[in-house]
Amino acid sequence: CNGHRQVSGLAASARCATEGSHSNGEKNGPAKRRRAAATCRGTDTHMSDPDLDALLPNGKTKLIEAVEAKDHGAARKLLTSRASPDATAKDGQTALIIACKMNNEDLATLLLTARANHGQSTGSGFSPLFVAAQKGSFACAKKLLEVRADVNQAAKNRATPLLVAAEAGHSGIVNLLLR
């Protein structure tokens, strides 16, 4: 009956809210419960849109293409339209990793503001900080450290951001990572 579906829907929302299924380190409280309930209802503004995150025939997402094209407006519009900043291309790279690889501090900042996961790595274990250190992207490395990226997060080959920065001769990044 219709009344039963309403009660079930309310119970599911309440269960999601009380279980805190979308924990992100917040203390239990009204704000966390409201956010969890909104997520369960599908009204959370941080939920991504699967159509925007779908892989295109080239194995990339629309957001990754916008970042590669250095199209700030398109990237901002996609993020505002709920594209996930953490969606990965077929090769495992995220938009944030690509922004760091290209030494594009503005796009990296945009993605971090959209709550991109600064610790998400490729299948080989290359994190955004690792790539920034490897490519000599001082501005991106600094921005990642400001949001507390893990300086000791090693790739699968056990290399760390400090090691690759030193090997590549990026002394500014080495000094930054040692602070």
Side-chain angles (χ1 to χ4, degrees):
C1 92
N2 191 25
H4 178 62
R5 273 183 275 161
Q6 283 181 324
V7 170
S8 296
L10 291 173
S13 290
R15 185 174 58 251
C16 284
T18 57
E19 289 175 0
S21 61
H22 296 281
S23 177
N24 60 0
E26 295 177 49
K27 291 182 180 177
N28 285 326
K32 183 176 180 181
R33 287 190 298 274
R34 278 192 303 274
R35 182 162 165 76
T39 300
C40 289
R41 288 192 308 271
T43 58
D44 182 2
T45 58
H46 295 290
M47 288 181 58
S48 65
D49 182 335
D51 292 334
L52 292 175
D53 298 334
L55 290 181
L56 301 171
N58 63 6
K60 300 174 183 177
T61 65
K62 292 176 184 177
L63 180 59
I64 289 173
E65 283 193 332
V67 168
E68 287 181 335
K70 300 178 186 173
D71 189 339
H72 297 232
R76 186 175 291 106
K77 184 176 180 181
L78 286 163
L79 290 167
T80 301
S81 299
R82 299 189 334 190
S84 171
D86 298 322
T88 58
K90 190 175 182 178
D91 64 5
Q93 294 189 82
T94 64
L96 182 57
I97 289 172
I98 293 166
C100 291
K101 186 184 291 186
M102 295 174 19
N103 194 21
N104 195 319
E105 179 187 11
D106 292 337
L107 280 169
T109 300
L110 176 68
L111 293 161
L112 289 167
T113 301
R115 303 170 99 175
N117 180 352
H118 57 73
Q120 186 172 347
S121 59
T122 66
S124 299
F126 302 141
S127 68
L129 183 58
F130 184 97
V131 171
Q134 185 179 50
K135 297 296 183 181
S137 179
F138 184 88
C140 288
K142 185 175 181 186
K143 186 61 68 177
L144 289 163
L145 291 173
E146 287 172 4
V147 295
R148 304 198 187 283
D150 183 2
V151 298
N152 296 313
Q153 183 177 349
K156 287 191 176 177
N157 65 2
R158 297 190 180 159
T160 63
L162 179 61
L163 177 66
V164 297
E167 285 179 343
H170 302 303
S171 60
I173 294 177
V174 168
N175 290 330
L176 183 66
L177 294 170
L178 289 174
R179 289 185 197 163

